[in-house]
Amino acid sequence: MYIEREKKYLVDEKLARNLIEKSVARIGVVQWYLDTCSFDIEKGMTNCRIRYTIDESGNEEWVRAFKSTLIEDFTRQEEESKVEISADMFETLTFKPVVAKIRYYLLYEPAEVVLDELIELDRPYRVPVKYLAEIETQEAFEEYERMFELNAPLSLEEFERYINKNFAVESKLSPREIIDIVNEKLKKSKQK
């Protein structure tokens, strides 16, 4: 298990455009949320996330993950492992809560700072937001908040509302259709 320490920030359109200009890399991301990962060979775990990513070079990756709830110091446990895609997995992901986004990396080290642009699917997300930023660091957050003009971190209560799992939607689109939408959006984002 890995312990992550992160804060989230709501970002308006103007700041988002500025941050996208400063981004050093971008990926397409689709995240499905399941009660368990029972199709995995290992024992099933609760609150499972299956994440598909594609980078700007077309490299794809599938990862299974579990994240605990956030505690007062903005930390939570996380466990991830790569998973092989199969027809059974695609079937399992159909009609499961999902979030699709383009992730813009602003900084990798010593902190990971990202901006997520949510991609609209066939149903609106459970939060009225298009952009969310995250800072993940073991250091003080304030330096990175100043660096990227992220002035108002979400409180612990607000953080829970803006966890992807909590605002994911049950799309009528197939997993392949959602992946295609994200891949197309990633290609268009590179042309800007």
Short mmCIF file of all heavy atoms in Angstrom, two decimals, residues 69 86 93 106 109 113-114 121 133 137 158 169 177 181 190:
data_model
loop_
_atom_site.label_atom_id
_atom_site.label_comp_id
_atom_site.label_asym_id
_atom_site.label_seq_id
_atom_site.Cartn_x
_atom_site.Cartn_y
_atom_site.Cartn_z
N THR A 69 -10.67 6.11 2.20
CA THR A 69 -11.22 7.45 2.40
C THR A 69 -10.12 8.38 2.90
O THR A 69 -9.14 7.95 3.50
CB THR A 69 -12.38 7.44 3.42
OG1 THR A 69 -11.91 6.87 4.63
CG2 THR A 69 -13.56 6.64 2.89
N SER A 86 -9.63 -7.91 -21.03
CA SER A 86 -10.26 -9.11 -21.59
C SER A 86 -11.69 -8.78 -21.97
O SER A 86 -12.24 -7.76 -21.54
CB SER A 86 -10.24 -10.25 -20.57
OG SER A 86 -11.08 -9.92 -19.48
N LEU A 93 -17.42 -3.84 -17.14
CA LEU A 93 -17.39 -2.38 -17.07
C LEU A 93 -18.64 -1.72 -17.67
O LEU A 93 -18.92 -0.56 -17.37
CB LEU A 93 -16.15 -1.85 -17.78
CG LEU A 93 -14.81 -2.28 -17.19
CD1 LEU A 93 -13.67 -1.72 -18.02
CD2 LEU A 93 -14.69 -1.88 -15.73
N LEU A 106 1.21 19.28 -14.93
CA LEU A 106 1.86 20.57 -14.79
C LEU A 106 3.24 20.41 -14.18
O LEU A 106 4.14 21.21 -14.45
CB LEU A 106 1.00 21.50 -13.94
CG LEU A 106 -0.46 21.64 -14.41
CD1 LEU A 106 -1.27 22.41 -13.39
CD2 LEU A 106 -0.52 22.27 -15.77
N GLU A 109 7.70 16.30 -10.40
CA GLU A 109 8.52 16.19 -9.19
C GLU A 109 8.96 17.58 -8.74
O GLU A 109 9.15 18.44 -9.59
CB GLU A 109 9.75 15.34 -9.48
CG GLU A 109 9.42 13.96 -9.94
CD GLU A 109 10.24 12.89 -9.25
OE1 GLU A 109 11.28 13.22 -8.68
OE2 GLU A 109 9.82 11.75 -9.27
N VAL A 113 1.49 17.71 -9.88
CA VAL A 113 0.43 18.71 -10.00
C VAL A 113 -0.25 18.48 -11.34
O VAL A 113 0.41 18.45 -12.39
CB VAL A 113 0.98 20.15 -9.92
CG1 VAL A 113 -0.17 21.16 -9.98
CG2 VAL A 113 1.81 20.34 -8.65
N VAL A 114 -1.58 18.27 -11.31
CA VAL A 114 -2.33 17.97 -12.52
C VAL A 114 -3.59 18.80 -12.59
O VAL A 114 -4.12 19.26 -11.58
CB VAL A 114 -2.70 16.47 -12.62
CG1 VAL A 114 -1.46 15.59 -12.64
CG2 VAL A 114 -3.64 16.05 -11.51
N LEU A 121 -20.04 13.00 -21.29
CA LEU A 121 -20.50 11.78 -21.95
C LEU A 121 -21.98 11.97 -22.27
O LEU A 121 -22.39 13.09 -22.55
CB LEU A 121 -20.24 10.57 -21.04
CG LEU A 121 -18.76 10.34 -20.70
CD1 LEU A 121 -18.59 9.22 -19.68
CD2 LEU A 121 -17.96 10.02 -21.97
N ALA A 133 -8.14 20.59 -10.27
CA ALA A 133 -6.68 20.44 -10.14
C ALA A 133 -6.39 19.62 -8.89
O ALA A 133 -7.19 19.63 -7.94
CB ALA A 133 -6.00 21.80 -10.07
N THR A 137 1.71 15.66 -2.84
CA THR A 137 3.07 15.93 -2.36
C THR A 137 3.23 15.48 -0.91
O THR A 137 2.24 15.39 -0.18
CB THR A 137 3.41 17.43 -2.47
OG1 THR A 137 4.76 17.64 -2.06
CG2 THR A 137 2.48 18.29 -1.63
N GLU A 158 -15.77 18.92 1.24
CA GLU A 158 -15.90 19.18 -0.20
C GLU A 158 -15.09 18.16 -1.01
O GLU A 158 -15.51 17.73 -2.07
CB GLU A 158 -15.41 20.58 -0.53
CG GLU A 158 -16.25 21.69 0.04
CD GLU A 158 -15.58 23.05 -0.12
OE1 GLU A 158 -14.36 23.16 0.15
OE2 GLU A 158 -16.28 23.99 -0.50
N VAL A 169 -20.87 8.75 -13.44
CA VAL A 169 -22.22 8.49 -13.94
C VAL A 169 -22.29 7.12 -14.60
O VAL A 169 -21.28 6.60 -15.07
CB VAL A 169 -22.66 9.57 -14.97
CG1 VAL A 169 -22.78 10.92 -14.31
CG2 VAL A 169 -21.73 9.62 -16.16
N GLU A 177 -16.82 2.77 -26.75
CA GLU A 177 -17.26 4.09 -27.22
C GLU A 177 -16.65 5.20 -26.35
O GLU A 177 -16.21 6.23 -26.87
CB GLU A 177 -18.79 4.20 -27.19
CG GLU A 177 -19.48 3.38 -28.26
CD GLU A 177 -20.99 3.41 -28.11
OE1 GLU A 177 -21.49 3.02 -27.03
OE2 GLU A 177 -21.68 3.81 -29.07
N ILE A 181 -14.07 8.20 -27.49
CA ILE A 181 -14.32 9.63 -27.24
C ILE A 181 -13.10 10.27 -26.60
O ILE A 181 -12.66 11.36 -26.99
CB ILE A 181 -15.58 9.81 -26.35
CG1 ILE A 181 -16.84 9.46 -27.15
CG2 ILE A 181 -15.66 11.23 -25.80
CD1 ILE A 181 -18.09 9.32 -26.30
N LYS A 190 -4.07 18.05 -28.40
CA LYS A 190 -2.67 18.23 -28.85
C LYS A 190 -2.58 19.26 -29.96
O LYS A 190 -1.55 19.88 -30.15
CB LYS A 190 -2.10 16.89 -29.34
CG LYS A 190 -1.87 15.90 -28.24
CD LYS A 190 -1.04 14.72 -28.67
CE LYS A 190 -1.68 13.94 -29.80
NZ LYS A 190 -0.94 12.69 -30.10
#
